[in-house]
mmCIF file of all heavy atoms in Angstrom:
data_model
loop_
_atom_site.group_PDB
_atom_site.id
_atom_site.type_symbol
_atom_site.label_atom_id
_atom_site.label_comp_id
_atom_site.label_asym_id
_atom_site.label_seq_id
_atom_site.Cartn_x
_atom_site.Cartn_y
_atom_site.Cartn_z
ATOM 1 N N GLY A 113 72.669 45.540 -1.393
ATOM 2 C CA GLY A 113 71.770 46.523 -1.993
ATOM 3 C C GLY A 113 70.319 46.228 -1.664
ATOM 4 O O GLY A 113 69.545 47.131 -1.339
ATOM 5 N N TRP A 114 69.943 44.960 -1.750
ATOM 6 C CA TRP A 114 68.570 44.575 -1.411
ATOM 7 C C TRP A 114 68.278 44.804 0.067
ATOM 8 O O TRP A 114 67.174 45.228 0.431
ATOM 9 C CB TRP A 114 68.298 43.124 -1.795
ATOM 10 C CG TRP A 114 68.087 42.959 -3.256
ATOM 11 C CD1 TRP A 114 68.870 42.291 -4.137
ATOM 12 C CD2 TRP A 114 67.015 43.518 -4.031
ATOM 13 N NE1 TRP A 114 68.362 42.400 -5.414
ATOM 14 C CE2 TRP A 114 67.220 43.141 -5.369
ATOM 15 C CE3 TRP A 114 65.915 44.300 -3.732
ATOM 16 C CZ2 TRP A 114 66.357 43.520 -6.390
ATOM 17 C CZ3 TRP A 114 65.057 44.683 -4.741
ATOM 18 C CH2 TRP A 114 65.287 44.286 -6.056
ATOM 19 N N VAL A 115 69.256 44.542 0.928
ATOM 20 C CA VAL A 115 69.078 44.798 2.359
ATOM 21 C C VAL A 115 68.844 46.285 2.603
ATOM 22 O O VAL A 115 67.969 46.672 3.385
ATOM 23 C CB VAL A 115 70.294 44.274 3.160
ATOM 24 C CG1 VAL A 115 70.244 44.740 4.608
ATOM 25 C CG2 VAL A 115 70.368 42.758 3.090
ATOM 26 N N GLN A 116 69.589 47.136 1.910
ATOM 27 C CA GLN A 116 69.421 48.579 2.055
ATOM 28 C C GLN A 116 68.045 49.031 1.555
ATOM 29 O O GLN A 116 67.397 49.875 2.181
ATOM 30 C CB GLN A 116 70.512 49.328 1.291
ATOM 31 C CG GLN A 116 71.886 49.186 1.894
ATOM 32 C CD GLN A 116 72.959 49.817 1.024
ATOM 33 O OE1 GLN A 116 72.693 50.779 0.310
ATOM 34 N NE2 GLN A 116 74.153 49.266 1.074
ATOM 35 N N ILE A 117 67.607 48.468 0.441
ATOM 36 C CA ILE A 117 66.292 48.837 -0.104
ATOM 37 C C ILE A 117 65.186 48.458 0.870
ATOM 38 O O ILE A 117 64.302 49.264 1.184
ATOM 39 C CB ILE A 117 66.070 48.167 -1.486
ATOM 40 C CG1 ILE A 117 67.011 48.779 -2.523
ATOM 41 C CG2 ILE A 117 64.618 48.301 -1.929
ATOM 42 C CD1 ILE A 117 67.074 47.997 -3.820
ATOM 43 N N VAL A 118 65.233 47.231 1.384
ATOM 44 C CA VAL A 118 64.200 46.760 2.320
ATOM 45 C C VAL A 118 64.250 47.570 3.610
ATOM 46 O O VAL A 118 63.203 47.965 4.146
ATOM 47 C CB VAL A 118 64.364 45.249 2.591
ATOM 48 C CG1 VAL A 118 63.466 44.797 3.727
ATOM 49 C CG2 VAL A 118 64.057 44.457 1.328
ATOM 50 N N ALA A 119 65.442 47.850 4.135
ATOM 51 C CA ALA A 119 65.573 48.636 5.367
ATOM 52 C C ALA A 119 65.043 50.056 5.168
ATOM 53 O O ALA A 119 64.366 50.609 6.055
ATOM 54 C CB ALA A 119 67.026 48.666 5.822
ATOM 55 N N PHE A 120 65.313 50.647 4.010
ATOM 56 C CA PHE A 120 64.837 51.997 3.729
ATOM 57 C C PHE A 120 63.313 52.046 3.666
ATOM 58 O O PHE A 120 62.680 52.916 4.267
ATOM 59 C CB PHE A 120 65.452 52.500 2.418
ATOM 60 C CG PHE A 120 64.981 53.865 2.012
ATOM 61 C CD1 PHE A 120 65.366 54.987 2.729
ATOM 62 C CD2 PHE A 120 64.158 54.034 0.915
ATOM 63 C CE1 PHE A 120 64.937 56.263 2.358
ATOM 64 C CE2 PHE A 120 63.718 55.292 0.539
ATOM 65 C CZ PHE A 120 64.106 56.410 1.263
ATOM 66 N N ILE A 121 62.721 51.091 2.955
ATOM 67 C CA ILE A 121 61.252 51.056 2.850
ATOM 68 C C ILE A 121 60.622 50.786 4.209
ATOM 69 O O ILE A 121 59.610 51.394 4.570
ATOM 70 C CB ILE A 121 60.812 50.017 1.795
ATOM 71 C CG1 ILE A 121 61.221 50.495 0.402
ATOM 72 C CG2 ILE A 121 59.313 49.774 1.858
ATOM 73 C CD1 ILE A 121 60.999 49.483 -0.690
ATOM 74 N N ALA A 122 61.226 49.892 5.008
ATOM 75 C CA ALA A 122 60.704 49.607 6.346
ATOM 76 C C ALA A 122 60.793 50.846 7.241
ATOM 77 O O ALA A 122 59.864 51.143 7.997
ATOM 78 C CB ALA A 122 61.464 48.441 6.968
ATOM 79 N N ALA A 123 61.902 51.582 7.149
ATOM 80 C CA ALA A 123 62.046 52.801 7.949
ATOM 81 C C ALA A 123 61.001 53.841 7.549
ATOM 82 O O ALA A 123 60.414 54.508 8.409
ATOM 83 C CB ALA A 123 63.458 53.368 7.796
ATOM 84 N N LEU A 124 60.755 53.986 6.249
ATOM 85 C CA LEU A 124 59.713 54.912 5.798
ATOM 86 C C LEU A 124 58.346 54.488 6.322
ATOM 87 O O LEU A 124 57.545 55.318 6.777
ATOM 88 C CB LEU A 124 59.678 54.978 4.267
ATOM 89 C CG LEU A 124 60.800 55.728 3.573
ATOM 90 C CD1 LEU A 124 60.639 55.612 2.067
ATOM 91 C CD2 LEU A 124 60.850 57.178 3.995
ATOM 92 N N ASP A 125 58.084 53.197 6.283
ATOM 93 C CA ASP A 125 56.785 52.668 6.704
ATOM 94 C C ASP A 125 56.561 52.840 8.203
ATOM 95 O O ASP A 125 55.468 53.189 8.638
ATOM 96 C CB ASP A 125 56.690 51.193 6.305
ATOM 97 C CG ASP A 125 55.329 50.608 6.597
ATOM 98 O OD1 ASP A 125 54.319 51.296 6.367
ATOM 99 O OD2 ASP A 125 55.273 49.450 7.052
ATOM 100 N N VAL A 126 57.585 52.609 8.987
ATOM 101 C CA VAL A 126 57.438 52.626 10.439
ATOM 102 C C VAL A 126 57.550 54.037 11.019
ATOM 103 O O VAL A 126 56.811 54.400 11.926
ATOM 104 C CB VAL A 126 58.492 51.696 11.091
ATOM 105 C CG1 VAL A 126 58.519 51.850 12.592
ATOM 106 C CG2 VAL A 126 58.221 50.262 10.706
ATOM 107 N N ALA A 127 58.469 54.838 10.491
ATOM 108 C CA ALA A 127 58.762 56.119 11.125
ATOM 109 C C ALA A 127 58.193 57.328 10.385
ATOM 110 O O ALA A 127 57.699 58.254 11.018
ATOM 111 C CB ALA A 127 60.279 56.272 11.269
ATOM 112 N N VAL A 128 58.259 57.348 9.080
ATOM 113 C CA VAL A 128 57.892 58.556 8.340
ATOM 114 C C VAL A 128 56.436 58.519 7.887
ATOM 115 O O VAL A 128 55.656 59.420 8.186
ATOM 116 C CB VAL A 128 58.836 58.752 7.128
ATOM 117 C CG1 VAL A 128 58.458 60.006 6.356
ATOM 118 C CG2 VAL A 128 60.280 58.824 7.583
ATOM 119 N N PHE A 129 56.057 57.489 7.164
ATOM 120 C CA PHE A 129 54.700 57.387 6.619
ATOM 121 C C PHE A 129 53.862 56.394 7.423
ATOM 122 O O PHE A 129 53.189 55.538 6.861
ATOM 123 C CB PHE A 129 54.740 56.975 5.143
ATOM 124 C CG PHE A 129 55.372 58.001 4.256
ATOM 125 C CD1 PHE A 129 56.536 57.716 3.562
ATOM 126 C CD2 PHE A 129 54.815 59.251 4.104
ATOM 127 C CE1 PHE A 129 57.125 58.658 2.732
ATOM 128 C CE2 PHE A 129 55.394 60.195 3.283
ATOM 129 C CZ PHE A 129 56.548 59.899 2.596
ATOM 130 N N ARG A 130 53.870 56.512 8.732
ATOM 131 C CA ARG A 130 53.102 55.587 9.573
ATOM 132 C C ARG A 130 51.619 55.934 9.485
ATOM 133 O O ARG A 130 51.246 57.083 9.275
ATOM 134 C CB ARG A 130 53.595 55.628 11.004
ATOM 135 C CG ARG A 130 53.343 56.931 11.685
ATOM 136 C CD ARG A 130 54.070 57.037 13.013
ATOM 137 N NE ARG A 130 53.879 58.344 13.602
ATOM 138 C CZ ARG A 130 54.494 59.451 13.213
ATOM 139 N NH1 ARG A 130 55.365 59.408 12.238
ATOM 140 N NH2 ARG A 130 54.246 60.602 13.793
ATOM 141 N N GLN A 131 50.793 54.932 9.670
ATOM 142 C CA GLN A 131 49.345 55.120 9.588
ATOM 143 C C GLN A 131 48.807 55.480 10.968
ATOM 144 O O GLN A 131 48.921 54.708 11.905
ATOM 145 C CB GLN A 131 48.671 53.839 9.086
ATOM 146 C CG GLN A 131 47.163 53.904 9.045
ATOM 147 C CD GLN A 131 46.641 54.862 7.997
ATOM 148 O OE1 GLN A 131 46.917 54.715 6.828
ATOM 149 N NE2 GLN A 131 45.863 55.846 8.419
ATOM 150 N N ASP A 132 48.234 56.650 11.074
ATOM 151 C CA ASP A 132 47.596 57.079 12.316
ATOM 152 C C ASP A 132 46.157 56.558 12.297
ATOM 153 O O ASP A 132 45.418 56.832 11.349
ATOM 154 C CB ASP A 132 47.622 58.607 12.394
ATOM 155 C CG ASP A 132 47.071 59.133 13.704
ATOM 156 O OD1 ASP A 132 46.539 58.339 14.508
ATOM 157 O OD2 ASP A 132 47.173 60.350 13.936
#
Side-chain angles (χ1 to χ4, degrees):
W114 283 114
V115 170
Q116 291 174 30
I117 291 168
V118 170
F120 178 70
I121 292 173
L124 286 177
D125 185 40
V126 171
V128 180
F129 295 117
R130 66 191 176 284
Q131 176 68 59
D132 184 353

